[in-house]
Amino acid sequence: MMPTSPQSGAPQIDWDVSVERYNSTQVTYWLTVKNLTATTLSYEARYAVLG
Protein backbone atom coordinates (compact mmCIF):
# COMPACT_ATOMS: atom_id res chain seq x y z
CA MET A 1 0.00 0.00 0.00
CA MET A 2 1.33 3.39 -0.96
CA PRO A 3 -0.42 6.77 -1.08
CA THR A 4 -0.34 8.20 -4.62
CA SER A 5 -1.18 11.66 -3.29
CA PRO A 6 1.60 11.89 -0.68
CA GLN A 7 1.78 14.59 1.94
CA SER A 8 4.77 15.36 4.10
CA GLY A 9 4.72 14.43 7.77
CA ALA A 10 3.25 11.52 9.67
CA PRO A 11 1.89 8.27 8.18
CA GLN A 12 -1.17 8.75 5.97
CA ILE A 13 -2.67 5.28 5.81
CA ASP A 14 -2.90 2.19 7.99
CA TRP A 15 -3.55 -1.14 6.32
CA ASP A 16 -4.12 -4.74 7.29
CA VAL A 17 -4.39 -8.03 5.41
CA SER A 18 -6.59 -10.91 6.54
CA VAL A 19 -6.62 -14.33 4.91
CA GLU A 20 -9.60 -16.67 4.77
CA ARG A 21 -8.87 -20.19 3.55
CA TYR A 22 -11.71 -21.58 1.42
CA ASN A 23 -10.21 -25.01 0.83
CA SER A 24 -6.77 -26.54 0.27
CA THR A 25 -6.21 -24.60 -2.97
CA GLN A 26 -8.25 -21.39 -2.62
CA VAL A 27 -7.98 -18.41 -0.29
CA THR A 28 -9.56 -14.96 -0.05
CA TYR A 29 -7.46 -11.93 0.90
CA TRP A 30 -9.22 -9.03 2.66
CA LEU A 31 -7.40 -5.68 2.50
CA THR A 32 -8.53 -3.03 4.98
CA VAL A 33 -7.20 0.50 4.44
CA LYS A 34 -7.77 3.36 6.87
CA ASN A 35 -7.10 7.03 6.01
CA LEU A 36 -5.21 8.59 8.93
CA THR A 37 -5.55 12.16 7.61
CA ALA A 38 -8.41 14.65 7.45
CA THR A 39 -8.04 15.01 3.67
CA THR A 40 -8.95 12.76 0.76
CA LEU A 41 -6.18 10.38 -0.26
CA SER A 42 -5.56 8.17 -3.23
CA TYR A 43 -3.53 5.01 -2.83
CA GLU A 44 -2.22 2.13 -4.88
CA ALA A 45 -1.98 -1.49 -3.80
CA ARG A 46 -0.02 -4.27 -5.47
CA TYR A 47 0.25 -7.92 -4.67
CA ALA A 48 1.98 -11.02 -5.94
CA VAL A 49 0.95 -14.61 -5.45
CA LEU A 50 3.99 -16.73 -4.67
CA GLY A 51 4.02 -20.44 -4.44
Side-chain angles (χ1 to χ4, degrees), residues 4-49:
T4 57
S5 54
Q7 301 173 11
S8 60
Q12 298 165 50
I13 59 173
D14 182 36
W15 57 279
D16 185 47
V17 178
S18 298
V19 180
E20 179 181 351
R21 182 163 296 281
Y22 181 70
N23 59 32
S24 64
T25 61
Q26 296 176 319
V27 296
T28 300
Y29 292 92
W30 301 93
L31 305 175
T32 304
V33 182
K34 181 179 179 182
N35 182 353
L36 301 177
T37 71
T39 59
T40 301
L41 288 176
S42 298
Y43 64 89
E44 184 174 309
R46 296 180 185 187
Y47 68 93
V49 177

